[in-house]
Amino acid sequence: MSPSLPISSTVTKVFDTGKHSTVLLNVQTTTCCNNSSDSDLHPPKPLLIASPLDHPSDFPVLLFLHGYLLSNSFYSHLILHIASHGFIVIAPQLYTVAGPDSTNEVKSAAAIIDWLSTGLGSVLPTDVNPDLTKIAISGHSRGGKTAFALALGLITVPSLKISALLGIDPVDGMDKGKQTVPPVLTYVPRSFDLEMPVLVLGSGLGEIKRNSVFPACAPKGVNHENFYDECKPPACYLVIRDYGHLDMLDDETKGVRGKATYCLCKNGESREPMRKCVAGVMVAFLKAYLRDDWGDLIAVKDGRRDAPVEFQKIDFYW
């Protein structure tokens, strides 16, 4: 459901850094197998958490799942931007090496959500409290597919309710008929049985090959367009023109994998505009559906919010 007019909404600059100071926390999982009383405080996977810092309050929680063979640290600027607008963002490192089966990633994401009620509060700054009645799940690329699989209950169902789903250039394999396990897309329009609002963000260059050696990073047939086609209302769909599948990452991504992010996909001229746009749209969506503050999302829909990039498509299925 969405309102016809944002009468009571407070409009902010979602594409700019928000009012909250932020901190980036590294939380490691335990490696020991004992029955100590604090074992429940350790998350099942290493976490990078972007948290508001200077305004004591209860904040909604966003779980953000990284893309295929990427590091959660590559998204640090993106998740800090979201946190600065009053959200706790949790980015786990789901794996180091992965094959074509993402079943364990879905199970790990569910386990992290299960951990929130026992462990999250113990690792956050003083006076920053998670509002576990308002949990959203999101993911980029293969992480987007994983987020959809979890929200659909394909493998397992977490103990806490998911209130919103955000797919950031989600990808369900190499091509139609070559989906990774578990396959998410059914190719039946509006078939996703989701009891939550959905945002799908796509990249205009994601389906274009960088060269003849590597495949497209977000191939047609298994990309954002297909995910949105299967969403029921309420669903928001935006495609960002002239930017690629990895252009929301940090400018500096270290290591061999970090260097590869500049070589494998068709990219835009720079990452900062795409990153700010993705973060800003995510903030507008989360404010609307987790805080009932609709001004920014409706402004984005109507073109009344100055985005740092040009949109190729905007379609809201309300």
Side-chain angles (χ1 to χ4, degrees), residues 72-226:
N72 57 357
S73 65
F74 294 172
Y75 302 88
S76 61
H77 290 296
L78 177 75
I79 65 174
L80 282 169
H81 184 128
I82 297 169
S84 74
H85 287 271
F87 299 93
I88 299 167
V89 188
I90 301 168
Q93 187 64 45
L94 294 175
Y95 54 82
T96 302
V97 178
D101 190 333
S102 59
T103 298
N104 286 336
E105 294 147 54
V106 180
K107 291 180 179 179
S108 293
I112 292 164
I113 293 177
D114 293 343
W115 168 83
L116 298 178
S117 58
T118 58
L120 179 58
S122 67
V123 301
L124 293 174
T126 303
D127 295 328
V128 173
N129 302 309
D131 184 350
L132 299 184
T133 67
K134 298 177 180 178
I135 298 174
I137 183 169
S138 64
H140 168 233
S141 190
R142 175 157 155 161
K145 168 216 173 74
T146 302
F148 269 86
L150 182 60
L152 288 164
L154 298 185
I155 300 296
T156 186
V157 178
S159 59
L160 298 176
K161 179 183 177 182
I162 300 173
S163 299
L165 170 63
L166 302 84
I168 311 305
D169 222 15
V171 180
D172 194 18
M174 298 296 295
D175 200 349
K176 186 176 180 179
K178 298 181 180 179
Q179 295 163 256
T180 50
V181 179
V184 172
L185 296 170
T186 67
Y187 301 98
V188 178
R190 311 308 177 198
S191 61
F192 284 156
D193 186 15
L194 293 164
E195 297 182 356
M196 65 190 74
V198 183
L199 169 68
V200 178
L201 268 174
S203 63
L205 301 181
E207 62 189 41
I208 301 174
K209 293 182 179 182
R210 182 180 177 90
N211 51 50
S212 60
V213 177
F214 299 111
C217 288
K220 286 185 72 66
V222 287
N223 69 11
H224 53 87
E225 181 179 12
N226 307 97

Side-chain angles (χ1 to χ4, degrees), residues 23-27 47-51 123-125:
V23 62
L24 201 59
L25 307 169
N26 279 286
V27 181
L47 305 178
L48 189 64
I49 299 177
S51 171
V123 301
L124 293 174

